[in-house]
Amino acid sequence: MDSYLVCYDISNPKRLRKVARTCEDFGYRKQLSVFLVRVSATDFVRLRSRLYDIIDLSEDQVLFIPLTESGLQRMEAIGRPTDPHDKNDVVMIL
């Protein structure tokens, strides 16, 4: 399983809701437009494909930032606390 931060900037509210729901299927919301996603290589392709079909390529942007295990363990938050990363987290896609 690989870990990614998925961050997005979507200009249309309808597409924004679809992108958020899709990201919720694969990971955990960390901030309004930021998700922590732990997926297999196959599920990563599925996530990218679903998002590609939703967004407007000329107006929207989705970033996939790969994270290392050591980077996840060193994640810090200022202000409202964040849930600690757990290597046993499981993502269920129905």
Side-chain angles (χ1 to χ4, degrees):
M1 299 275 272
D2 295 319
S3 298
Y4 296 88
L5 278 183
V6 179
C7 314
Y8 52 83
D9 184 15
I10 309 298
S11 62
N12 176 280
K14 186 176 179 179
R15 288 194 309 269
L16 176 64
R17 284 189 296 278
K18 288 181 180 180
V19 166
R21 278 189 299 240
T22 299
C23 289
E24 287 170 348
D25 289 344
F26 290 86
Y28 304 96
R29 186 184 296 270
K30 297 309 268 180
Q31 293 184 0
L32 287 177
S33 297
V34 179
F35 281 78
L36 175 59
V37 176
R38 299 195 63 215
V39 291
S40 66
T42 302
D43 283 337
F44 181 67
V45 170
R46 288 178 52 214
L47 170 61
R48 285 183 48 167
S49 176
R50 283 178 56 184
L51 293 173
Y52 184 89
D53 291 342
I54 295 168
I55 71 169
D56 180 325
L57 297 176
S58 65
E59 295 181 3
D60 304 330
Q61 183 182 62
V62 178
L63 300 174
F64 301 94
I65 304 168
L67 300 173
T68 63
E69 191 65 33
S70 64
L72 284 169
Q73 296 302 324
R74 293 187 332 234
M75 184 169 42
E76 295 182 33
I78 296 175
R80 202 169 36 84
T82 186
D83 295 330
H85 167 69
D86 182 348
K87 69 179 181 179
N88 296 319
D89 286 342
V90 176
V91 177
M92 296 184 72
I93 302 169
L94 304 174

